[in-house]
Amino acid sequence: MELTKKTHACVRIEKDGRTLVIDPGAFSEEDAAVGADAILVTHEHPDHFDEGRLRRAMEAEPAAEIWTLASVADQISAAFPGRVHTVGEGDAFTAAGFEVEVYGQLHAVIHPDIPRITNVGFLLDGTVFHPGDALTVPEGRAVDTLLLPVHAPWNKVAEIIDYLRAVAPRRAIDIHDSLLQDHARPVYDGMIDKLGGTDHGRLTPGAHTEVG
């Protein structure tokens, strides 16, 4: 599998000539999902779910399909009958040739006064895990590549380090990082590299690497 990092929380993963995209939100490129055979969306926040980007991708590829939770599916399924599938924790399905398992139920706590919304994470081919906006551990699974939400209003670096230790992947690649200024990245990198207990790195938008 080849993973291409897009801006913020969005990634494109290609295998056997087919493409799967996760979380093409408002911070990602306008064409982040165009050309995808399958699109997965972890939750409804606009930096992960942008209706315009989804519509552009679905109209460009008439066979493309979306898998997501109910809060997103309810907003777009009427426009694409039969092509938007609702999933939740414990579900498993095949999308664009990828075997996908669903983990998690709720978004991380932003503040006690802000109601929590639903959020799911996706494990691809038993190896690559995208948790969305939560620190979900896919229990009982040996994750090869963890897509690590390194910077957000709902987390702090100590939580990210402990999460990395709990999942214990072979490697971690930063996502959810577009709000992190360049001069802060070496600080985060140094702490995560020193304390995370695994191979950790980041990709600039458009860069790619082999995974799985």
Side-chain angles (χ1 to χ4, degrees):
M1 292 186 286
E2 182 178 83
L3 180 145
T4 300
K5 173 75 166 62
K6 308 302 284 185
T7 300
H8 198 53
C10 181
V11 295
R12 291 177 70 103
I13 303 178
E14 299 179 36
K15 182 183 73 170
D16 299 332
R18 306 188 74 188
T19 300
L20 181 148
V21 172
I22 306 177
D23 281 1
F27 295 165
S28 60
E29 294 77 1
E30 288 286 340
D31 63 350
V34 173
D37 300 288
I39 304 167
L40 312 182
V41 180
T42 63
H43 66 288
E44 65 195 88
H45 282 160
D47 56 327
H48 296 256
F49 161 55
D50 180 80
E51 185 173 342
R53 284 165 173 76
L54 292 183
R55 286 179 176 272
R56 192 172 297 114
M58 296 290 275
E59 290 165 358
E61 177 49 68
E65 298 178 75
I66 296 171
W67 283 262
T68 187
L69 34 63
S71 59
V72 172
D74 289 347
Q75 297 183 55
I76 199 166
S77 59
F80 302 100
R83 298 171 63 192
V84 180
H85 311 283
T86 302
V87 297
E89 184 174 41
D91 288 340
F93 56 92
T94 302
F98 294 85
E99 298 302 319
V100 185
E101 299 170 57
V102 184
Y103 290 88
Q105 299 181 30
L106 291 173
H107 192 287
V109 174
I110 302 172
H111 186 277
D113 291 348
I114 300 176
R116 294 174 74 182
I117 63 169
T118 51
N119 177 97
V120 293
F122 297 107
L123 180 66
L124 308 183
D125 285 351
T127 62
V128 179
F129 187 59
H130 189 308
D133 276 6
L135 302 180
T136 302
V137 177
E139 298 291 348
R141 300 309 304 264
V143 174
D144 181 82
T145 301
L146 174 65
L147 303 179
L148 185 68
V150 70
H151 181 263
W154 49 266
N155 70 24
K156 58 184 180 181
V157 71
E159 294 172 327
I160 295 304
I161 290 166
D162 287 345
Y163 178 54
L164 188 53
R165 290 175 174 180
V167 178
R170 181 182 65 83
R171 68 189 296 203
I173 298 173
D174 288 353
I175 58 168
H176 214 288
D177 56 356
S178 68
L179 299 181
L180 187 62
Q181 295 190 27
D182 287 344
H183 66 260
R185 288 185 182 274
V187 178
Y188 276 70
D189 289 346
M191 287 188 287
I192 295 171
D193 290 346
K194 181 179 179 181
L195 300 172
T198 193
D199 178 36
H200 162 255
R202 54 186 172 87
L203 300 171
T204 58
H208 54 83
T209 186
E210 294 295 320
V211 295

